[in-house]
Amino acid sequence: MSGPRGVTAPTPASERLLAPDLARGVMLLLIALAHSRMLHAGGNSLTTPAGGGPADVAVQWLLTSFVDGRAAPLFGLLFGYGLVQMTRRLTGPDGDPAGARRLIRRRGIWLVVFGVAHVVLLYAGDVIGAYGAFAVMFAGAVSWPGRRLWVVTGVTLVVGVLAATALQFAAGADVPLPVGPTLLDSAALRAMALPVLPVAALAVAPSVLLGIWAGRQRLLEDARRVPLLRRVAVIGFPVAVLGAQPVALQAVGLWSPGSAAVGALAVAVFAVTGIAGGLAFMAVIALVAGRIGDRRGPVTTALVACGRRSMTCYLAQSPVWLVMTEPSLLDLGGRLGAATAAAVAVATWIGTVVVADVLGRAGRRGPAETLLRYLTYGGRRGVAESSRLG
């Protein structure tokens, strides 16, 4: 479907890999669980205990150890992998590398537009805009030499860790939700965070650049990479979980740093090791996808449908957070136990999976994907192609 030079269209369903779509479907569960933090007393601060009963404490420890700061890197890894797949389709023997970069930037610009609208209308913690800004700023990264790729990854990792640490301590233990007495007030508060979008792009850059490396290695599609995937999973999860413990133990009230420097180091270690968690999640899902192959049952089919409509399903979670946290609506922000908040997140994710499965069985794309493809690829051809992708 790549067509002649200069002709672009979305990837046909028959050419899509199982692992990335399955990973995106699972990733959205992790994202929902991470967002559930705003519903319990711990709020947006990583280190503030939510209190409650044993179940709440256990859930908060589990989420801080396995999800917080670990789900977002998985998102970035998959985004970077997708950029390589997109570029590969356009840079074959008769391909157009410059055209691929233009396409990445054009898609990035529209992702920024989507992200800005998402922030203003629904949710302050949007990541779509950050990845769009990355695509605009670093469109050429897909063709960088290996040395440059690793150097920029290292530099942006340091910048991201410093920014995360500074933000955590600048905000203090009590990080209020960006809500006001009315929906318009809340929208204005959320919009105040938009100027930091370029900084957010730098914060997500390390995981996206690692995703680009993984895409070059065909990590999710080459059977010869199975031993490497196993090593990544076996090493990545322990590193991520152990690195999270200084923060996780604070989150359940079992430890507090003796000084600001120790507290800053705990947050920095938490941020760095989060990428290991994202890599481990990606590796495990790729191994599972390899075992599944073409033997897809109803659960796998539904998760893949969700992954193929990941933008729509991600955006569909936000009305739940809006309704539950707005003072003029249910006003439940910070009022639920961690276990109850997690249950809301799981139920929200299941709802999106069910809807995605229905759309998949009907052979329809998600509305967000359809609109993005129309804007990115242009004209009716892109929409006609995308409408046939289940």
Side-chain angles (χ1 to χ4, degrees):
M1 296 289 297
S2 58
R5 183 184 180 92
V7 177
T8 58
T11 306
S14 60
E15 297 180 15
R16 293 185 69 106
L17 301 174
L18 172 61
D21 287 330
L22 184 61
R24 291 184 184 100
V26 174
M27 172 199 70
L28 288 167
L29 170 61
L30 302 179
I31 293 292
L33 288 168
H35 289 173
S36 71
R37 165 179 295 283
M38 71 184 76
L39 299 179
H40 65 66
N44 289 324
S45 172
L46 287 171
T47 56
T48 301
D56 296 309
V57 173
V59 166
Q60 187 166 13
W61 179 84
L62 286 170
L63 295 186
T64 308
S65 298
F66 290 91
V67 176
D68 293 332
R70 280 87 186 117
L74 176 58
F75 201 132
L77 289 163
L78 294 170
F79 183 78
Y81 203 101
L83 292 181
V84 173
Q85 290 180 297
M86 177 191 301
T87 302
R88 188 174 287 139
R89 295 184 62 246
L90 300 174
T91 55
D94 300 318
D96 182 5
R101 290 192 293 273
R102 288 194 298 270
L103 181 66
I104 289 172
R105 286 197 177 95
R106 185 162 67 245
R107 186 169 183 260
I109 289 170
W110 286 114
L111 286 174
V112 170
V113 172
F114 273 69
V116 169
H118 186 211
V119 168
V120 174
L121 297 176
L122 293 171
Y123 182 60
D126 169 79
V127 296
I128 293 174
Y131 291 110
F134 173 92
V136 174
M137 296 165 61
F138 296 97
V142 291
S143 57
W144 282 353
R147 180 181 178 85
R148 183 179 180 186
L149 186 71
W150 286 111
V151 168
V152 177
T153 299
V155 171
T156 54
L157 178 61
V158 171
V159 172
V161 169
L162 291 175
T165 304
L167 180 63
Q168 181 69 20
F169 281 88
D174 183 17
V175 184
L177 292 173
V179 294
T182 69
L183 292 175
L184 286 177
D185 292 325
S186 296
L189 287 172
R190 292 193 297 270
M192 292 174 62
L194 291 176
V196 304
L197 195 57
V199 178
L202 290 176
V204 303
S207 59
V208 180
L209 292 171
L210 282 173
I212 289 173
W213 168 81
R216 290 181 180 181
Q217 301 299 313
R218 297 181 181 269
L219 207 61
L220 302 182
E221 54 202 285
D222 189 344
R224 294 172 297 180
R225 301 299 183 184
V226 168
L228 176 58
L229 290 172
R230 288 173 178 160
R231 289 196 296 272
V232 169
V234 169
I235 296 172
F237 277 125
V239 168
V241 174
L242 291 174
Q245 291 319 293
V247 167
L249 294 177
Q250 292 179 71
V252 296
L254 293 180
W255 177 73
S256 60
S259 66
V262 173
L265 180 60
V267 174
V269 170
F270 179 86
V272 169
T273 56
I275 293 181
L279 284 167
F281 274 120
M282 186 174 73
V284 168
I285 295 169
L287 291 169
V288 171
R291 289 291 187 90
I292 292 173
D294 295 327
R295 302 181 304 276
R296 303 183 187 184
V299 173
T300 300
T301 300
L303 289 175
V304 167
C306 181
R308 289 181 178 177
R309 296 157 184 81
S310 57
M311 188 172 175
T312 293
C313 292
Y314 171 74
L315 294 172
Q317 294 181 8
S318 296
V320 176
W321 315 130
L322 180 77
V323 170
M324 297 199 72
T325 59
E326 279 295 322
S328 59
L329 299 175
L330 295 183
D331 194 19
L332 292 175
R335 299 176 184 272
L336 302 181
T340 303
V344 171
V346 172
T348 300
W349 172 75
I350 290 174
T352 62
V353 171
V354 170
V355 172
D357 190 41
V358 171
L359 290 174
R361 294 179 186 281
R364 305 296 300 178
R365 279 270 184 196
E369 285 76 19
T370 299
L371 179 57
L372 179 62
R373 279 162 175 76
Y374 180 88
L375 296 170
T376 299
Y377 295 97
R380 297 180 180 179
R381 176 187 171 94
V383 174
E385 295 286 357
S386 66
S387 67
R388 294 198 298 269
L389 306 182

